[in-house]
């Protein structure tokens, strides 16, 4: 499948076929996509919770109630569901962990290069913590970069996917014990096999024309 084919074929699945499981090698590829997602100053402010069992999906489905009950079948009937989360803060431990991993993987030619990377990353964190006061929103932006890669990767692999913001974030955080780990949920993605009830599969893709969304200079 070409990239052009994938972006045209990709759509948000509205119903999954229950009881069907995606091959582990394809899931591993998508986990690799998430692990290697880009983030501003390599901040990597994320954590991904992967539900591959009925019990795991049921725990996530607790957040699809009340106004979001329509998303419950998309969670319990999928093969895998991934909760993309952000850290509650980019604290000292995380910044040091990222820096030491970079050193371990050979990204610094000397201590000066390491110190420069550390200083640059901390300066961005400080800007968003103190000047712009939007650190959680900045971290969310990085998670949405990962989301885009995940959806495109799934399309390239022929995997049906549904991104969802329609869930009770507080309920999901509590159900998965995220807050005790210094995390909070941002968006869910269900992965699996679309069913015959997926009405969206038969609908044509609709996007604004290029002359309305591109300016060439």
């Amino acid at each position: 499948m070409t990239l052009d084919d994938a972006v045209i074929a990709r759509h948000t699945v509205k119903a999954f076929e229950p009881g069907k499981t995606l091959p582990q090698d394809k899931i591993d590829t998508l986990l690799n996509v998430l692990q290697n997602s880009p983030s501003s100053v390599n901040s990597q402010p994320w954590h991904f919770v992967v539900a591959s069992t009925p019990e795991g999906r049921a725990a996530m489905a607790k957040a699809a109630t009340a106004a979001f009950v329509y998303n419950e079948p998309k969670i319990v009937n999928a093969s895998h569901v991934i909760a993309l989360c952000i850290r509650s803060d980019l604290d000292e431990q995380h910044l040091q962990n990222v820096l030491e991993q970079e050193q371990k993987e050979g990204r610094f030619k000397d201590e000066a290069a390491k110190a420069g990377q550390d200083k640059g990353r901390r300066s961005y964190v400080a800007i968003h913590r103190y000047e712009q006061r939007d650190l959680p929103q900045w971290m969310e932006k990085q998670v949405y970069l990962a989301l885009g890669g995940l959806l495109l990767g799934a399309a390239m692999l022929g995997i049906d996917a549904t991104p969802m913001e329609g869930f009770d974030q507080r309920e999901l955080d509590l159900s998965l014990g995220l807050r005790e780990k210094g995390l909070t949920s941002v968006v869910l993605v269900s992965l699996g096999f679309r069913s015959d009830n997926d009405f969206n599969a038969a609908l044509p893709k609709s996007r604004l024309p290029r002359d309305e969304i591109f300016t060439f200079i």
Side-chain angles (χ1 to χ4, degrees), residues 118-173:
D118 187 39
K119 181 179 179 180
R121 182 158 44 235
R122 288 174 184 274
S123 71
Y124 271 82
V125 173
I127 287 170
H128 289 284
R129 176 177 284 135
Y130 299 115
E131 281 84 19
Q132 297 188 16
R133 296 185 296 278
D134 66 345
L135 188 61
Q137 291 77 18
W138 183 61
M139 289 192 286
E140 279 192 3
K141 291 176 183 178
Q142 317 316 312
V143 165
Y144 277 91
L145 288 176
L147 172 64
L150 175 62
L151 294 177
L152 181 57
M156 289 292 292
L157 293 173
I159 294 175
D160 296 311
T162 302
M164 290 174 282
E165 292 180 318
F167 64 94
D168 185 326
Q169 291 180 319
R170 180 180 184 277
E171 184 61 42
L172 187 65
D173 289 358

Side-chain angles (χ1 to χ4, degrees), residues 7 28 33 42 45 51 58 70 85 113 120 169 173-174 178 190 205:
V7 296
D28 288 340
V33 169
N42 199 29
Y70 61 92
C85 310
Q169 291 180 319
D173 289 358
L174 296 177
L178 296 178
S190 289
K205 187 178 288 288

Side-chain angles (χ1 to χ4, degrees), residues 1-168:
M1 180 181 293
T2 68
L3 182 58
D4 280 339
D5 293 336
V7 296
I8 294 300
R10 191 214 67 77
H11 70 282
T12 297
V13 171
K14 300 300 183 180
F16 287 94
E17 187 68 34
K20 298 184 69 174
T21 303
L22 290 164
Q24 187 59 45
D25 62 327
K26 291 191 174 183
I27 293 299
D28 288 340
T29 296
L30 293 181
L31 299 184
N32 187 45
V33 169
L34 286 174
Q35 184 179 7
N36 289 283
S37 297
S39 62
S40 179
V41 292
N42 199 29
S43 54
Q44 302 177 63
W46 46 51
H47 188 86
F48 309 108
V49 180
V50 182
S52 60
T53 64
E55 294 78 14
R57 293 190 295 272
M60 290 193 178
K62 290 180 180 179
T65 58
F68 309 115
V69 69
Y70 61 92
N71 275 331
E72 190 264 352
K74 303 186 189 83
I75 297 173
V76 297
N77 292 334
S79 169
H80 289 66
V81 185
I82 302 178
L84 286 74
C85 310
I86 58 170
R87 304 178 64 84
S88 57
D89 187 22
L90 287 179
D91 57 19
E92 181 65 24
Q93 181 178 352
H94 179 71
L95 293 175
Q96 285 292 339
N97 190 33
V98 171
L99 186 67
E100 293 308 315
Q101 187 66 31
E102 289 171 330
Q103 182 174 40
K104 184 187 302 183
E105 293 177 339
R107 289 187 59 83
F108 309 125
K109 64 179 181 179
D110 53 34
E111 285 299 315
K114 179 180 179 181
Q117 173 70 3
D118 187 39
K119 181 179 179 180
R121 182 158 44 235
R122 288 174 184 274
S123 71
Y124 271 82
V125 173
I127 287 170
H128 289 284
R129 176 177 284 135
Y130 299 115
E131 281 84 19
Q132 297 188 16
R133 296 185 296 278
D134 66 345
L135 188 61
Q137 291 77 18
W138 183 61
M139 289 192 286
E140 279 192 3
K141 291 176 183 178
Q142 317 316 312
V143 165
Y144 277 91
L145 288 176
L147 172 64
L150 175 62
L151 294 177
L152 181 57
M156 289 292 292
L157 293 173
I159 294 175
D160 296 311
T162 302
M164 290 174 282
E165 292 180 318
F167 64 94
D168 185 326

Side-chain angles (χ1 to χ4, degrees), residues 169-202:
Q169 291 180 319
R170 180 180 184 277
E171 184 61 42
L172 187 65
D173 289 358
L174 296 177
S175 178
L176 301 182
L178 296 178
R179 296 188 178 184
E180 295 86 342
K181 300 174 183 176
L183 303 168
T184 185
S185 54
V186 175
V187 62
L188 293 175
V189 178
S190 289
L191 304 163
F193 300 85
R194 67 175 182 263
S195 78
D196 293 339
N197 295 324
D198 176 26
F199 66 87
N200 208 25

